[in-house]
């Protein structure tokens, strides 16, 4: 029995030495699963340039206001334009930072905030049902909690050794 326990603890020690793999796989998973979702969503928000919001952006972020003016972007007020511009820039920049592993913890925290705001807009503006955790049905909240968990890993673990962040890290003195 002692031999089995020794083998088990030896295996755990080896796995602990692979700790660098967790943030690296989190970034690769983001690239494979969510990067193009956010990139395509950002592309829908621009009309020629990032400073020219589309009616799609107006409708995605302020659905009731867009509907009230029949999707006419010239009717957007200053606040709405600033929110759309900031959201669009974030939707382009934050995913790129995560993929390259540059300012990863900050970018991941920004993505968590972005997903929370996105979810609030989906629920309050678009009437999407949240669903509930632990109810055996895959709802919006279940999906977004998984997304946030991926970013929480990056906030706590950083980008890993295969990143731009790693290039700027000071070597540790052991």
């Amino acid at each position: 029995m002692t031999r089995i326990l020794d083998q088990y603890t030896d295996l755990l020690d080896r796995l602990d030495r692979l700790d660098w793999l967790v943030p690296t796989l989190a970034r690769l998973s983001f690239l494979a699963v969510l990067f193009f979702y956010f990139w395509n969503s950002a592309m829908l928000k621009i009309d020629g340039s990032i400073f020219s919001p589309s009616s799609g952006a107006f409708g995605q972020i302020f659905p009731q206001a867009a509907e009230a003016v029949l999707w006419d972007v010239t009717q957007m007020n200053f606040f709405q334009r600033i929110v759309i511009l900031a959201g669009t820039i974030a939707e382009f920049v934050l995913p790129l930072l995560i993929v390259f592993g540059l300012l990863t913890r900050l970018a991941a925290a920004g993505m968590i905030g972005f997903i929370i705001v996105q979810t609030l807009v989906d629920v309050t503006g678009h009437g999407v049902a949240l669903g509930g955790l632990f109810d055996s049905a895959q709802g919006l909240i279940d999906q977004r909690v998984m997304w946030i968990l991926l970013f929480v890993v990056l906030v706590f673990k950083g980008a890993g050794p295969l990143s731009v962040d790693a290039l700027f890290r000071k070597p540790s003195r052991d």
Side-chain angles (χ1 to χ4, degrees):
M1 182 67 168
T2 340
R3 184 172 177 216
I4 292 172
L5 285 174
D6 287 343
Q7 286 177 334
Y8 177 69
T9 55
D10 189 43
L11 173 66
L12 292 179
D13 288 341
R14 287 186 209 163
L15 288 173
D16 285 343
R17 286 190 293 267
L18 293 175
D19 194 42
W20 64 271
L21 199 55
V22 173
T24 304
L25 289 176
R27 287 182 34 241
L28 283 173
S29 296
F30 170 75
L31 177 61
V33 178
L34 290 174
F35 178 82
F36 292 103
Y37 166 84
F38 286 107
W39 192 265
N40 290 334
S41 176
M43 291 298 288
L44 291 173
K45 290 180 176 75
I46 62 174
D47 192 17
S49 91
I50 200 161
F51 300 106
S52 179
S54 69
S55 60
F58 194 21
Q60 282 179 15
I61 299 172
F62 297 104
Q64 293 153 346
E67 213 172 283
V69 296
L70 302 173
W71 306 81
D72 180 8
V73 294
T74 63
Q75 300 295 312
M76 281 190 280
N77 63 38
F78 180 74
F79 171 75
Q80 291 167 331
R81 287 185 182 278
I82 293 298
V83 168
I84 290 170
L85 177 65
T88 303
I89 290 171
E91 211 164 13
F92 277 120
V93 172
L94 295 176
L96 284 173
L97 290 174
I98 288 170
V99 168
F100 288 109
L102 176 62
L103 304 172
T104 306
R105 293 174 194 254
L106 184 62
M111 287 301 296
I112 291 169
F114 190 92
I115 291 168
I116 290 169
V117 170
Q118 176 188 29
T119 303
L120 289 171
V121 169
D122 285 345
V123 170
T124 60
H126 296 286
V128 175
L130 263 181
L133 293 170
F134 311 108
D135 64 358
S136 78
Q138 289 292 310
L140 177 69
I141 192 77
D142 300 299
Q143 184 183 56
R144 302 282 169 86
V145 164
M146 292 297 290
W147 294 4
I148 288 173
L149 175 63
L150 184 138
F151 296 118
V152 166
V153 166
L154 294 174
V155 166
F156 283 98
K157 293 286 189 179
L162 304 173
S163 65
V164 177
D165 285 345
L167 296 175
F168 296 114
R169 177 164 277 148
K170 292 180 184 175
S172 62
R173 292 186 235 175
D174 292 327

